[in-house]
């Protein structure tokens, strides 16, 4: 079983021919709303990959709450660990340029009210060998308590080191498996501007220090990881991206689902990389876009 402990948002998405420079205004050519939040996205991806998923987090008592939970509910995600708190549901303001790149500002709302006690409740429902997935869009104290409780109970923890908050390097040391993009990994390693050789050396050094499984997503260059002393790589699909929003979350959700489904580590990386590629092929794509059958067809 997978429990995702994290954020639930409503995404407000505007598309533009290109992303603005600092202080610049550009004309938009489209607008949409979609359920989001890194936690909810990853839970939805894991559920769409065919695994049983609990979502733990919080929404507000506003008009966005029901809409933010609709896709999770429709997919059959267990929502019994979600609190409804005073105040607004979290929101994400997203700009997507014509080349598929994006800029995102996140307003925490109810996500900021997730507590260490909520973490204890979520982990209390889990059993040894279950998988806990976390991100950093809820308070660091709650993430830290969840990681500590998971380790004490024999639950495998996967921390997606995003967004890159000041506590990220410290919290990253507490997880069994860490997933980061290139920038996030540089912060974790304390070394900026890495080339491929320096990145591999940093992976080996951190792995030797902590024993953790470390995964770095590299966009079009695929994924590099280290586990049990061995470096592994996986490639996604060669595509022309339409929208990269949700691609990283899709990778994380499919990776967790693949492990929960009993796949070996390298196969899980490959399946997740393909799913992340497929998520880039549609504008405003949710992690539900690459269904299990479609991912299987591309591996």
């Amino acid at each position: 079983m997978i429990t995702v402990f994290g954020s639930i948002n409503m995404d407000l998405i505007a598309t533009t021919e290109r992303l603005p420079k600092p202080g610049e205004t550009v004309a938009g050519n489209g607008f949409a709303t979609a359920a989001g939040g890194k936690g909810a996205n990853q839970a939805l991806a894991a559920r769409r990959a065919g695994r049983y998923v609990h979502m733990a987090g919080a929404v507000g008592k506003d008009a966005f709450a029901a809409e933010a939970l609709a896709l999770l509910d429709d997919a059959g995600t267990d929502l019994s660990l979600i609190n409804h708190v005073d105040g607004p549901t979290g929101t994400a303001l997203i700009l997507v340029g014509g080349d598929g790149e994006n800029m995102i500002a996140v307003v925490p709302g109810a996500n900021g009210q997730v507590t260490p006690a909520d973490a204890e409740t979520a982990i209390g429902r889990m059993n040894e060998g279950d998988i806990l997935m976390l991100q950093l869009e809820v308070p660091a104290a709650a993430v830290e308590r969840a990681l500590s409780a998971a380790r004490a109970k024999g639950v495998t923890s996967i921390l997606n080191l995003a967004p890159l908050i000041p506590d990220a390097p410290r919290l990253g040391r507490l997880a069994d498996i860490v997933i980061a993009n290139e920038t996030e990994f540089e912060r974790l390693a304390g070394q900026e501007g890495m080339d491929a050789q320096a990145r591999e050396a940093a992976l080996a050094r951190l792995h030797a220090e902590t024993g953790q499984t470390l995964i770095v997503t590299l966009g079009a260059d695929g994924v590099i990881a280290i586990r049990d002393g061995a470096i592994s790589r996986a490639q996604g699909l060669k595509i022309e991206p339409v929208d990269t929003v949700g691609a990283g979350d899709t990778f994380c959700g499919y990776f967790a689902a693949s492990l929960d489904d009993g796949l070996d580590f390298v196969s899980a990386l490959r399946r997740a990389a393909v799913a992340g590629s497929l998520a880039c092929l549609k504008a405003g794509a949710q992690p539900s876009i690459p269904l299990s059958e479609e991912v299987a067809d591309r591996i």
Side-chain angles (χ1 to χ4, degrees):
M1 184 188 75
I2 299 169
T3 296
V4 179
F5 184 76
S7 57
I8 303 164
N9 288 339
M10 273 302 298
D11 292 348
L12 310 179
I13 307 162
T15 57
T16 62
E17 183 176 341
R18 62 175 178 82
L19 296 177
K21 298 176 182 178
E24 182 184 21
T25 299
V26 298
N29 51 37
F31 177 77
T33 62
K38 296 191 72 63
N41 284 350
Q42 292 176 16
L44 183 60
R47 180 67 189 134
R48 292 293 189 183
R51 307 311 295 167
Y52 187 78
V53 180
H54 287 273
M55 178 70 220
V59 294
K61 296 179 180 178
D62 60 359
F64 280 156
E67 192 173 353
L69 296 175
L71 282 177
L72 290 169
D73 192 27
D74 289 346
T77 312
D78 188 311
L79 305 181
S80 60
L81 290 170
I82 294 176
N83 294 324
H84 294 254
V85 301
D86 292 332
T89 298
T91 55
L93 312 176
I94 302 171
L95 284 178
V96 181
D99 61 356
E101 287 299 322
N102 63 77
M103 301 170 64
I104 305 175
V106 177
V107 182
N111 297 312
Q113 298 188 52
V114 175
T115 68
D118 296 328
E120 293 281 0
T121 299
I123 307 308
R125 295 266 206 99
M126 302 184 74
N127 298 310
E128 184 176 354
D130 286 346
I131 294 175
L132 173 70
M133 174 160 283
L134 310 101
Q135 322 77 35
L136 298 174
E137 286 185 335
V138 298
V143 173
E144 183 171 4
R145 181 69 62 84
L147 288 167
S148 298
R151 178 159 295 180
K153 200 167 185 178
V155 169
T156 299
S157 59
I158 303 173
L159 176 62
N160 178 209
L161 215 64
L164 199 56
I165 65 172
D167 284 314
R170 179 179 63 83
L171 293 173
R173 296 296 183 106
L174 303 178
D176 297 313
I177 301 171
V178 175
I179 300 175
N181 65 22
E182 295 167 87
T183 302
E184 293 154 0
F185 180 70
E186 288 181 358
R187 178 72 66 85
L188 181 67
Q191 181 180 346
E192 296 183 1
M194 294 183 189
D195 59 17
Q197 184 176 1
R199 185 182 304 115
E200 186 168 332
L203 273 171
R205 173 177 58 81
L206 286 178
H207 180 65
E209 290 175 4
T210 67
Q212 294 170 294
T213 297
L214 303 170
I215 301 169
V216 184
T217 58
L218 305 171
D221 292 327
V223 183
I224 185 171
I226 188 166
R227 182 182 180 92
D228 296 332
I231 295 282
S232 301
R233 293 177 175 81
Q235 288 293 327
L237 303 174
K238 299 299 182 182
I239 62 167
E240 291 293 331
V242 175
D243 184 352
T244 59
V245 173
D249 294 332
T250 300
F251 175 91
C252 292
Y254 266 78
F255 175 74
S258 298
L259 292 185
D260 192 53
D261 200 24
L263 270 67
D264 66 85
F265 180 69
V266 175
S267 296
L269 284 179
R270 172 62 176 155
R271 185 179 185 224
V274 170
S277 298
L278 289 170
C280 298
L281 293 178
K282 294 186 179 181
Q286 294 296 306
S288 55
I289 293 299
L291 302 178
S292 295
E293 294 80 4
E294 188 175 353
V295 172
D297 288 344
R298 300 296 189 102
I299 294 177

